[in-house]
Amino acid sequence: MTKIVIVGGVAGGASAAARARRMSESAQIIMLERGEFISFANCGLPYHIGGDIAAREALLLQTPESFKKRFDVEVRVFNEVMSIDAIHKTLRVKNLLTGDSYEETYDKLLLSPGAAPVKPPIPGINSPHVFTLRNIADMDAIIAALAAHKPQHVTVVGGGFIGLEMVEALHQRGIRISLLELAPQVMAPVDPEMANVLHRELVNKGVELRLNTGLTEVNSRDNMPSEPEATDVYDKPSHHHTALALTLSTGQTLITDMVILAIGVKPEVSLANSAGLVLGERGGIKVDAGMRTSDPDIYAVGDAVETPDFVTGNAALVPLAGPANRQGRIAADNMLGLDKQYRRTQATAICKLFDLAIASTGLNEKSLQRLQLPYEKVYVHTASHAGYYPGAHPVTLKLLFDPNNGKILGAQAVGMDGIDKRIDVLAVAQRAGMTVRDLQDLELSYAPPFGSARDVVNQAGMVATNVLDGDEQICHVDEVASPSAEQVVLDVRNPPELTNVGAFPQALNIPVDQLRQRLGELPKDKEILVACQVGLRGHVAYRLLRQHGFKVRNLTGGFKTFQMTMAKF
């Protein structure tokens, strides 16, 4: 009989416990959780705060009782593992309700400690009006503070998944919000021009967005030596005595009632570290493909471990529920003597922000540049379904690929509808080892309410294949924004579009339908950078000019990509 002890519930630990029991009726399985809850939906926390998920109970997926009944797993909540003796295979456990300690033995140990919110060591960070959001207790504390103090203004620090979801939740409660982000963009997994779509949405919804801005000090207004400058005081602090004065990295002061820190998470490795387990280069627990740590009888899964990135194989920290779930299942099998492998992490993810969704898979352009890997990129802007059927919304898709072999390196999409299905298709294509050529041949379901005969994904594949085959040479926004003396920018849109939508600086305008008749107006000795609204007419113009002997490239994604890239917030 194998005795399995699991430290930590939620995605990795709970899925491992359930899988282990399904694979073995005879194993003894104990789960130790220092908190009150196991198996709760931590991804749902902001949605309960905002009111989308009305019932708090909906977030509690399993209780110790239900786990015992169905899976015969002994769950001990409020039991914190203080230390691991790997040589004697024992744990020192503290019962947090009684204060007593005891020893527990194991044959196989699984660590699923998760990741903790980052709390920077700045003055005042432990103020009772500063919150983080990681578990049910944190959520309850935020809801209680909102009820008790009725803040009129809340500052969210950090523009990642939790930060953006909290902005939306607070907005739904009618609270005014400032969002501070130290980086030049929110949502780090996507590239800046894609994030600009989110920046516009935040500003349109009345959120005060402060990019390139960090939090350096938290002061209670009681303790302020002098009143801060009025410029950064919002209208009326709801409760003068509870309001905080935040010192920002820009030197400004921001008056607010409450702070929610969503700066990011760091893997919980103190237990593993003190047990002498090897940590990886990114600071997470180092595991092999079978989820084993440096000790063959100790396994680790979830947000605390490093896994290889899908494209490069480099160590990555990816705190997502899907990978944690799969890792828990694999670890359970291997603890019971099987040989299952975890096959790398693509970091496929999606986030809802008001009316928008933004999603990504694989590597982004920033990472490819940092790693100095060869890549090309194309943009497609089209509708979520057939334009003649009501309710179609724009979809923007960015596809990154290897210019030598067409291998899919990554993809990002943003829009109001159908974003998840496009990124999911591309995530599957990438995992299956398809190239951008194969995307052309994907046969995806089509009826006017759902898509187009040529789906966004097919279209991206066709554009990328044209580039790969040399049927189209493309240029990018930076070149069109400041062309050299040897280049001419040719805008092939119709004149009213230039007035109504916007124009490229210093561009020559010949509508595509007049181009054949007006070739004489173009210089033969210069390279022509052709551009239109989304890249489609530009491609038509490119093919025409190329066959008339012009040296030409087409701006991928057209003016829409130009606008997204040049926007400043």
Side-chain angles (χ1 to χ4, degrees), residues 185 187-194 282 307-318 320 344-349 359-379 397-402 407-413 423 426-427 430-431:
Q185 64 165 90
M187 193 45 66
V190 304
D191 290 313
E193 75 281 16
M194 303 297 280
R282 306 290 307 276
T307 52
D309 159 69
F310 187 80
V311 175
T312 62
N314 296 344
L317 287 169
V318 184
L320 294 170
R344 299 190 173 189
T345 304
Q346 287 166 282
T348 308
S360 60
T361 192
L363 294 180
N364 56 32
E365 188 176 359
K366 292 175 292 189
S367 304
L368 292 166
Q369 285 176 343
R370 195 179 63 246
L371 296 162
Q372 297 182 318
L373 292 172
Y375 73 91
E376 186 52 277
K377 59 178 175 177
V378 294
Y379 297 87
L397 178 67
K398 177 180 187 175
L399 179 62
L400 295 148
F401 59 98
D402 186 317
K407 182 176 148 185
I408 299 166
L409 301 175
Q412 298 160 40
I423 287 296
L426 287 163
Q430 183 183 46
R431 187 164 284 275

Side-chain angles (χ1 to χ4, degrees), residues 382-395 417-418 421-422 446-453 455-456:
T382 182
S384 54
H385 61 244
Y388 55 80
Y389 185 89
H393 294 292
V395 170
D417 182 42
K421 84 172 161 185
R422 270 65 191 220
Y446 161 60
F450 301 104
S452 300
D455 189 77
V456 185

Side-chain angles (χ1 to χ4, degrees), residues 108-159:
K108 301 287 181 188
L109 179 64
L110 175 66
L111 303 179
S112 179
V118 173
K119 264 186 120 170
I122 62 174
I125 199 74
N126 294 319
S127 155
H129 303 293
V130 176
F131 297 83
T132 56
L133 181 61
R134 183 200 178 188
N135 53 35
I136 299 277
D138 295 341
M139 176 187 78
D140 291 343
I142 290 171
I143 291 172
L146 292 172
H149 301 297
K150 301 194 168 40
Q152 291 178 13
H153 184 278
V154 174
T155 300
V156 176
V157 186

Side-chain angles (χ1 to χ4, degrees), residues 434-495:
M434 291 178 153
T435 68
V436 293
R437 286 184 204 286
D438 299 315
L439 299 179
Q440 304 176 98
D441 302 323
L442 293 182
E443 197 172 316
L444 304 171
S445 60
Y446 161 60
F450 301 104
S452 300
R454 178 190 288 182
D455 189 77
V456 185
V457 174
N458 299 134
Q459 215 167 315
M462 288 171 187
V463 174
T465 303
N466 280 340
V467 173
L468 221 50
D469 290 345
D471 290 338
E472 177 173 81
Q473 289 184 308
I474 53 174
C475 59
H476 295 292
V477 169
D478 49 346
E479 299 172 273
V480 172
S482 48
S484 74
E486 278 69 57
Q487 294 170 323
V488 172
V489 179
L490 172 65
D491 188 338
V492 297
R493 295 176 296 167
N494 296 322

Side-chain angles (χ1 to χ4, degrees), residues 119-421:
K119 264 186 120 170
I122 62 174
I125 199 74
N126 294 319
S127 155
H129 303 293
V130 176
F131 297 83
T132 56
L133 181 61
R134 183 200 178 188
N135 53 35
I136 299 277
D138 295 341
M139 176 187 78
D140 291 343
I142 290 171
I143 291 172
L146 292 172
H149 301 297
K150 301 194 168 40
Q152 291 178 13
H153 184 278
V154 174
T155 300
V156 176
V157 186
F161 291 92
I162 300 280
L164 292 176
E165 287 162 4
M166 277 309 303
V167 165
E168 182 173 353
L170 295 164
H171 186 273
Q172 280 173 213
R173 294 181 72 126
I175 297 167
R176 285 182 302 142
I177 307 141
S178 293
L179 174 61
L180 311 181
E181 171 54 65
L182 194 55
Q185 64 165 90
V186 301
M187 193 45 66
V190 304
D191 290 313
E193 75 281 16
M194 303 297 280
N196 268 340
V197 180
L198 300 184
H199 299 153
R200 176 170 290 118
E201 180 79 352
L202 287 161
V203 171
N204 287 348
K205 286 286 193 284
V207 176
E208 188 204 15
L209 175 64
R210 297 187 181 219
L211 300 170
N212 301 300
T213 305
L215 177 63
T216 57
E217 191 171 343
V218 179
N219 268 297
S220 154
R221 283 193 74 196
D222 301 340
N223 310 336
M224 287 300 288
S226 63
E227 277 299 293
E229 294 163 37
T231 52
D232 285 294
V233 181
Y234 72 85
D235 311 345
K236 297 183 195 69
S238 46
H239 290 269
H240 191 86
H241 61 282
T242 64
L244 302 170
L246 310 180
T247 308
L248 309 180
S249 58
T250 56
Q252 292 169 301
T253 303
L254 178 65
I255 301 298
T256 191
D257 290 322
M258 180 175 169
V259 172
I260 293 177
L261 289 180
I263 297 171
V265 294
K266 59 177 189 302
E268 287 261 24
V269 295
S270 50
L271 196 59
N273 197 24
S274 59
L277 300 178
V278 175
L279 301 183
E281 57 194 86
R282 306 290 307 276
I285 303 170
K286 195 176 172 70
V287 290
D288 67 9
M291 306 315 297
R292 286 172 206 82
T293 65
S294 52
D295 181 310
D297 292 317
I298 303 179
Y299 294 70
V301 298
D303 296 359
V305 305
E306 291 184 9
T307 52
D309 159 69
F310 187 80
V311 175
T312 62
N314 296 344
L317 287 169
V318 184
L320 294 170
N325 236 296
R326 296 198 301 281
Q327 291 160 13
R329 191 181 159 92
I330 287 166
D333 283 355
N334 293 341
M335 286 190 288
L336 291 165
L338 296 170
D339 184 23
K340 297 285 176 73
Q341 308 272 304
Y342 179 72
R343 304 198 187 281
R344 299 190 173 189
T345 304
Q346 287 166 282
T348 308
I350 189 165
C351 183
K352 173 186 182 296
L353 179 66
F354 300 115
D355 299 328
L356 288 177
I358 191 157
S360 60
T361 192
L363 294 180
N364 56 32
E365 188 176 359
K366 292 175 292 189
S367 304
L368 292 166
Q369 285 176 343
R370 195 179 63 246
L371 296 162
Q372 297 182 318
L373 292 172
Y375 73 91
E376 186 52 277
K377 59 178 175 177
V378 294
Y379 297 87
V380 175
H381 307 280
T382 182
S384 54
H385 61 244
Y388 55 80
Y389 185 89
H393 294 292
V395 170
T396 287
L397 178 67
K398 177 180 187 175
L399 179 62
L400 295 148
F401 59 98
D402 186 317
N404 303 311
N405 56 23
K407 182 176 148 185
I408 299 166
L409 301 175
Q412 298 160 40
V414 64
M416 289 167 70
D417 182 42
I419 299 305
D420 52 347
K421 84 172 161 185

